[in-house]
Amino acid sequence: MPIHPPRQRSTGSSERPGVQQAESALMEHYPRLVRLAYLVLPPSLGRHRRVLAAHAAVQRALPGVRAAPEAPALSRVPAQTRGAAHRPAPDGSGSAYAWMRLRVLRAALGHERRPRWWPDRLPAPAALRPSLPSVWGLRLFPRAGGAAELALDQALSAVPGAVRAAFALRLLEELDARDTQALLARAGAPDAADAVRAAARLGDADRAGTEALLRSEEFDPCVLQTRPSDLLRRRHRMRAVAAAAALCVVAGVLVSVAEDGAPVPAPAVGGTRSVPAPALDPATLLSTAAEEWADTSRIDFTAWPARGNRTGDRALLSRALRAWGRTPQSVAVSATPGTLAVPPAQPPQLLYAGEVDGAAVVMFHDRGVRVVRYAEPLTGTGTPALDFARTDGADVTTGAALVVSRSGGRARFLMAPWISRTTTRDLLAPDSPARTLEVNADGVTAAVPRPSPGGSCDSWPALQLRSSERIVENHAFLLTDLGDLAPVHLTFTPGPAAGAAARQPREATSTPALLAWARTACSLTALRGTGVRAVNNWNFAEQRLPESGTPAEWLCTRADTWQGPGRVLVQFLAPSASPTGRGTVVADERDTARCSRFGQHVLAGTHWRAPSGQWYVLAAGSRAVSGIEATGAVREKAAGTTLAVRAPRDAPVELTARLKEGGSLTAVR
């Protein structure tokens, strides 16, 4: 049988390679090195500055020309194949790559190094250093991914750069823990061993899936989208510069005239706001063929055709585009959090133009970034309205419907062309069947009751939709209106099963899912108008209550927003005689990765009164918890995922949990 040579380790060559060797390694592996730098750089830079800093870190890693003789030109460099990231080639190019990688890591990690005397409010010195490449007038950012990519990005933003570096080296460069620790130490990372251990906890649940996410376009700074910078601010600056220049010219002319003794009239200063004319011309609007959604792998708003009985009304489209491009004071403007209410940089896509509920409505899609809705009254002197909503990364569910009109307590939706069946149901009536909802030829639904904005919460209307079998089989899902243009996708994750792997979110159309939402739907009121994209109910624990032994459930309700940050509401579901008995919200945490794919461990507690009148502190953790400890007014330890201890009402108690793989966990507050 053949004998293979032992696998070589190359965490970073200490010998400086020749310029030609280093250049060959850089050119061959440039995308890989830039992706590595992008992942290590602090997310606080923002995506635009982070992209430029990643390219700068790689380009500056190239060594300068030396007078000493160099190695001969390379005949080949290591192939960019999976698993070859750290195997040196026989000709030495692998060592050149390892040396370049070490330089890139040092540069990227340097963006978080601060001298002791450096003010905390300022970026690190490395972030302030001017460098190339530089871009003016445009913002650059990688293509947006889905909810999983956003959750991973958020989880990485919550850890230090050394942990991000270890995470990338383990998954993308395929280094083992020992080599990763050695490379981080050579790159100057503090606490390299701790960083490797922390990185291991980020992606252990699904290593292959996490690696696929890291290799996606969300984290690829070489595949970029562009948008204009702040146009209003730029115009203001240009006007200020122009005004200053005009004053200088006038001053010069006046001096000249004063010398000649002839008076000169002062020029008038004024002007109108300029806009990119092509983007505001109805003739340049983009449209999609009616059946393109069935023949494309991109199922989102770009696959929507233009619909409505006024798509040919050039005057209406012109008014809508002018309102978007110039936004006069007579137009009421609203935008979901994280959405820029700025003019289009390029001709948008027309989704709808028609008459709905006494208004002429036009809806545009800003090619993967935003949906914009313009509405003007058909009669009277009402105020036109312009609404902006962020929709990047939409998919078959989150791109399935848009609110086209709201009137009183009812709303109408514009449905995606791939929706084959449209029904409604009341989340607070889980046993009632879904009812058919009429949809006209333009894709607009009949009026649907909206969830009550008050505190009564007697019902919670939701859409139950089914996708066409031309794109996916047997796929039904729930959406609900939380006040934004795009309705929110509702999902459900069942509780842990003994000996089974961790479960993933699924559509909330099963009986257990509907029963869980029946008890938690009213908590969605707290999320109204916050730019929520999807909400998942995760049944993370079941607990036998003291005295009676009856089961209670713990749910983590996680809301993911279009702009990335998530919010969790932990709810305790005590036994109830009614299937719609409301759960108790015992914790509320914002801007967190908890209860997501990259924050799978959770611990929560609450005070509970038994039927006997005795008060208890109850606590429960997710499946990876091996024990819970209570300290403070009472002290108690319990093995497993639950704890119950007698305690006075509102007694202050601190809860911590031990994890099976090591480490600890604090309770959500």
Side-chain angles (χ1 to χ4, degrees), residues 34-117:
V34 175
R35 187 190 294 263
L36 176 63
Y38 183 81
L39 287 167
V40 177
L41 285 165
S44 59
L45 291 175
R47 290 193 293 175
H48 173 77
R49 291 177 60 200
R50 196 175 166 196
V51 164
L52 295 179
H55 285 272
V58 175
Q59 293 174 17
R60 286 202 306 265
L62 193 66
V65 178
R66 295 183 299 169
E70 292 192 9
L74 297 179
S75 58
R76 66 182 180 90
V77 293
Q80 293 193 66
T81 57
R82 183 183 171 102
H86 54 284
R87 289 197 294 270
D91 58 12
S93 61
S95 297
Y97 171 75
W99 189 85
M100 292 289 292
R101 180 177 60 192
L102 176 61
R103 300 251 301 176
V104 169
L105 276 176
R106 283 175 178 162
L109 290 170
H111 280 255
E112 289 189 349
R113 296 194 188 104
R114 299 168 179 267
R116 293 182 179 179
W117 51 267

Side-chain angles (χ1 to χ4, degrees), residues 145-517:
E149 286 87 345
L150 289 174
L152 175 57
D153 190 42
Q154 184 181 357
L156 291 175
S157 67
V159 298
V163 178
R164 294 192 298 272
F167 191 67
L169 291 172
R170 293 297 310 276
L171 293 180
L172 295 184
E173 298 293 293
E174 297 187 352
L175 298 180
D176 59 28
R178 184 176 65 176
D179 289 348
T180 299
Q181 181 177 337
L183 180 54
L184 288 177
R186 295 196 60 198
D191 301 323
D194 290 342
V196 172
R197 286 191 292 269
R201 292 193 291 269
L202 281 176
D204 268 358
D206 183 7
R207 183 183 176 93
T210 305
E211 180 181 343
L213 293 178
L214 282 182
R215 297 184 186 278
S216 69
E217 292 183 343
E218 172 84 15
F219 303 103
D220 188 354
C222 292
V223 180
L224 300 171
Q225 292 180 310
T226 62
R227 290 292 179 270
S229 56
D230 191 328
L231 298 177
L232 292 177
R233 183 179 300 174
R234 194 198 311 172
R235 290 192 186 107
H236 291 160
R237 288 174 178 171
M238 293 299 294
R239 288 174 183 171
V241 171
L247 288 175
C248 292
V249 172
V250 170
V253 172
L254 289 176
V255 170
S256 175
V257 169
E259 293 175 352
D260 295 341
V264 175
V269 179
T272 59
R273 178 183 176 187
S274 62
V275 292
L280 303 183
D281 185 355
T284 65
L285 285 173
L286 305 177
S287 61
T288 301
E291 293 296 314
E292 183 170 328
W293 61 269
D295 297 317
T296 179
S297 60
R298 183 174 177 179
I299 306 298
D300 58 12
F301 292 110
T302 61
W304 282 36
R307 290 170 288 178
N309 58 3
R310 298 186 66 174
T311 54
D313 189 336
R314 189 179 181 90
L316 171 63
L317 299 178
S318 294
R319 290 195 297 274
L321 289 170
R322 283 199 303 271
W324 185 1
R326 294 181 172 86
T327 317
Q329 294 183 352
S330 59
V331 175
V333 179
S334 70
T336 57
T339 307
L340 295 177
V342 297
Q346 57 186 350
Q349 175 189 356
L350 179 62
L351 300 181
Y352 180 82
E355 298 177 3
V356 186
D357 293 335
V361 177
V362 182
M363 303 193 78
F364 301 106
H365 180 231
D366 199 8
R367 303 307 290 175
V369 181
R370 299 172 294 175
V371 164
V372 180
R373 175 185 175 272
Y374 171 81
E376 63 180 27
L378 293 175
T379 59
T381 58
T383 301
L386 194 65
D387 304 312
F388 295 84
R390 185 169 172 175
T391 57
D392 48 318
D395 55 23
V396 67
T397 55
T398 53
L402 290 170
V403 175
V404 71
S405 171
R406 287 192 180 96
S407 180
R410 306 177 79 83
R412 296 181 190 270
F413 296 88
L414 180 64
M415 306 309 301
W418 59 81
I419 298 302
S420 61
R421 187 184 178 198
T422 306
T423 60
T424 63
R425 70 178 315 127
D426 182 1
L427 292 182
L428 301 189
D431 296 331
S432 300
R435 300 178 300 278
T436 299
L437 178 63
E438 296 297 328
V439 181
N440 67 20
D442 292 327
V444 178
T445 69
V448 180
R450 297 175 58 198
S452 173
S456 59
C457 195
D458 297 324
S459 66
W460 198 280
L463 297 175
Q464 181 166 320
L465 309 179
R466 182 172 293 277
S467 302
S468 169
E469 293 189 356
R470 296 171 67 180
I471 58 171
V472 61
E473 294 183 358
N474 194 28
H475 179 231
F477 55 95
L478 295 183
L479 302 177
T480 192
D481 182 7
L482 290 185
D484 297 320
L485 282 181
V488 176
H489 181 209
L490 303 180
T491 57
F492 173 71
T493 303
R503 300 185 178 184
Q504 300 300 317
R506 58 201 64 187
E507 301 302 346
T509 53
S510 64
T511 298
L514 293 174
L515 289 174
W517 275 111

Side-chain angles (χ1 to χ4, degrees), residues 116-165:
R116 293 182 179 179
W117 51 267
W118 193 260
D120 290 338
R121 66 180 181 275
L122 293 179
L128 299 176
R129 183 190 309 153
S131 61
L132 295 176
S134 180
V135 176
W136 285 73
L138 287 176
R139 307 294 293 176
L140 307 177
F141 50 92
R143 295 183 181 274
E149 286 87 345
L150 289 174
L152 175 57
D153 190 42
Q154 184 181 357
L156 291 175
S157 67
V159 298
V163 178
R164 294 192 298 272

